[in-house]
Amino acid sequence: MKYLFSGILWLFALTAGAQDTSVVFRFYFIGDAGDNAKPGPALQLLGSQLNGLDSAAVAFLGDNVYPHGFNPKAYNSYPFKDTAAYNRLHAQLMQLKNFRGSAYIIPGNHDWLAQRRNGAQALLREELETKIFIADSCPYIKNPRDERFLPSGQKPGPVAVRPAPGICFIVMDTQYPLQGCIRGGEGQMTAGKRKRVLKTMSRALDSLITDAESKNEKVIVSAHHPMYTNGGRPRYLGVMQVLITYTPLRIMGWAGLDRPLSQGMEHPRYKRMRKAIIPVLEKHGNLLYVSGHDHNTQYIAGAKNNRYIISGSGSKKSRLRKKERVPSRFQENTQTGFVVVEFLKNGKQRLVVYRADGSSQVLDTF
């Protein structure tokens, strides 16, 4: 009877633990939040949730400074400041003043001087401003200085950090292989250089995920650009894409006028990037890929139990396609907001979308 009673108690404890849905850690993801010099509704909501929170992390998913990041020319002479860019970046970072968790800022295409040749210089200034502000004004941030802007040093990554035990957060700069030229780095990005960069990125990503799996860690891969999306694009860009790709007007592309086009999945550079990264994600499976770029919220289930989240409505909204490219479990473009990944005590994860009006919705638990 003693052994039977002990077995019943053990079974009861095991069942209770499996049903415990209390949250032990939250990971906030907000993208494309750099359009306002003063915090908009989504940023204000984010700040209110982060205030005093410790068992959490937050990632800003790129396009942190619209319309074209920090202007390098503004730092050639005193007072060394691009006021408009400075205000847009700080509108986001000030939400971290009383936050007691980890914070990560990821670059997007607009942070790269909107894909211009001097984009790496603009990105360098944004990284410096980010680290200075957080060091001076956000005294409770947990993660060290060299992890607060990722990937650091205007490199493509990927890099891995661990915001909490059992969680591996892998970050890439997907704008790097989409750039036409990287002054101070790769120079003119020829087809050969781009192929080499993508090969290095994919191999490193594979290695980092393999290492995390060997430690039984939950993996979240994050970058600015989505691998799948039902986001729409202005029709004139589609027309330009055809003209510049398939007619003698392609000389306009060589002159750098196709920079906006490189941000759509139809562009050859974007296609090559996806072709390099998606097979690595699907080789492993059971991971989250979180991005911004499209100014809406989407949740797409992919192969091998991978889940693709777009949280790009931090300050802007953009249309969704009437006819989906890929089946989605959730998509919305009516409000700004952000997505939270909650890690539960029973070992599961829960996806929750928060809207600027304060409402929320559970997207999935797995």
Side-chain angles (χ1 to χ4, degrees), residues 249-260:
L249 292 177
R250 68 183 61 184
I251 192 172
M252 295 172 63
W254 298 335
L257 298 180
D258 67 339
R259 286 193 300 267

Side-chain angles (χ1 to χ4, degrees), residues 78-154:
Y78 187 81
F80 308 120
K81 188 169 290 185
D82 182 348
T83 304
Y86 186 90
N87 290 339
R88 285 176 168 83
L89 178 64
H90 286 201
Q92 297 155 83
L93 299 181
M94 69 174 57
Q95 310 309 314
L96 306 175
K97 283 193 171 184
N98 295 312
F99 180 49
R100 299 172 183 270
S102 299
Y104 308 98
I105 287 76
I106 301 171
N109 54 293
H110 284 273
D111 304 303
W112 276 86
L113 204 62
Q115 303 95 252
R116 293 179 175 84
R117 297 171 66 86
N118 290 331
Q121 297 178 33
L123 204 60
L124 171 62
R125 176 54 57 177
E126 183 176 323
E127 180 174 353
L128 291 174
E129 294 288 357
T130 296
K131 291 179 176 178
I132 289 171
F133 183 91
I134 293 179
D136 291 346
S137 304
C138 307
Y140 307 114
I141 295 297
K142 284 183 180 179
N143 55 316
R145 180 186 176 97
D146 59 358
E147 291 183 1
R148 294 171 182 173
F149 193 95
L150 295 175
S152 180
Q154 299 72 61

Side-chain angles (χ1 to χ4, degrees), residues 288-300:
L288 291 172
Y289 180 91
V290 189
S291 63
H293 194 54
D294 284 341
H295 306 148
N296 43 57
T297 304
Q298 299 180 53
Y299 173 39
I300 298 168

Side-chain angles (χ1 to χ4, degrees), residues 293-337:
H293 194 54
D294 284 341
H295 306 148
N296 43 57
T297 304
Q298 299 180 53
Y299 173 39
I300 298 168
K304 299 291 289 291
N305 290 325
N306 288 334
R307 290 165 170 83
Y308 297 87
I309 302 166
I310 297 174
S311 180
S313 57
S315 63
K316 305 178 77 173
K317 296 178 291 184
S318 63
R319 69 189 184 96
L320 292 160
R321 292 171 62 97
K322 292 182 179 180
K323 184 176 181 180
E324 294 183 345
R325 286 192 187 94
V326 289
S328 65
R329 293 190 178 182
F330 175 87
Q331 57 184 31
E332 181 179 66
N333 65 343
T334 59
Q335 294 192 54
T336 56

Side-chain angles (χ1 to χ4, degrees), residues 44-297:
Q44 292 179 38
L45 177 62
L46 176 69
S48 68
Q49 293 200 17
L50 295 181
N51 189 34
L53 193 60
D54 55 0
S55 297
V58 58
F60 293 87
L61 301 172
D63 285 0
N64 310 306
V65 182
Y66 282 104
H68 44 59
F70 280 85
N71 182 0
K73 294 181 180 179
Y75 295 88
N76 292 333
S77 59
Y78 187 81
F80 308 120
K81 188 169 290 185
D82 182 348
T83 304
Y86 186 90
N87 290 339
R88 285 176 168 83
L89 178 64
H90 286 201
Q92 297 155 83
L93 299 181
M94 69 174 57
Q95 310 309 314
L96 306 175
K97 283 193 171 184
N98 295 312
F99 180 49
R100 299 172 183 270
S102 299
Y104 308 98
I105 287 76
I106 301 171
N109 54 293
H110 284 273
D111 304 303
W112 276 86
L113 204 62
Q115 303 95 252
R116 293 179 175 84
R117 297 171 66 86
N118 290 331
Q121 297 178 33
L123 204 60
L124 171 62
R125 176 54 57 177
E126 183 176 323
E127 180 174 353
L128 291 174
E129 294 288 357
T130 296
K131 291 179 176 178
I132 289 171
F133 183 91
I134 293 179
D136 291 346
S137 304
C138 307
Y140 307 114
I141 295 297
K142 284 183 180 179
N143 55 316
R145 180 186 176 97
D146 59 358
E147 291 183 1
R148 294 171 182 173
F149 193 95
L150 295 175
S152 180
Q154 299 72 61
K155 299 296 183 182
V159 294
V161 294
R162 286 166 173 83
I167 301 174
C168 180
F169 182 46
I170 301 174
V171 181
M172 300 181 292
D173 184 351
T174 45
Q175 178 55 32
Y176 195 101
L178 297 181
Q179 281 286 113
C181 178
I182 301 177
R183 285 187 175 176
E186 296 285 344
Q188 194 68 35
M189 287 286 282
T190 62
K193 289 181 180 179
R194 204 179 315 277
K195 183 178 180 180
R196 184 185 71 237
V197 167
L198 288 170
K199 186 175 183 180
T200 301
M201 289 177 68
S202 60
R203 284 183 173 178
L205 178 62
D206 185 24
S207 177
L208 291 174
I209 297 176
T210 300
D211 177 64
E213 289 176 337
S214 70
K215 300 173 182 176
N216 294 317
E217 295 175 322
K218 298 184 186 300
V219 178
I220 301 178
V221 181
S222 198
H224 178 65
H225 295 87
M227 294 296 107
Y228 298 98
T229 180
N230 288 311
R233 302 175 65 224
R235 291 184 178 179
Y236 75 88
L237 290 182
V239 174
M240 286 179 61
Q241 177 73 72
V242 173
L243 292 175
I244 292 179
T245 305
Y246 300 109
T247 75
L249 292 177
R250 68 183 61 184
I251 192 172
M252 295 172 63
W254 298 335
L257 298 180
D258 67 339
R259 286 193 300 267
L261 304 180
S262 68
Q263 300 306 305
M265 285 193 173
E266 299 84 0
H267 196 278
R269 294 179 199 167
Y270 206 127
K271 288 180 178 179
R272 285 192 287 269
M273 180 183 68
R274 294 178 69 243
K275 188 176 180 180
I277 294 173
I278 290 177
V280 177
L281 302 177
E282 294 184 350
K283 171 184 175 182
H284 295 275
N286 296 306
L287 53 80
L288 291 172
Y289 180 91
V290 189
S291 63
H293 194 54
D294 284 341
H295 306 148
N296 43 57
T297 304

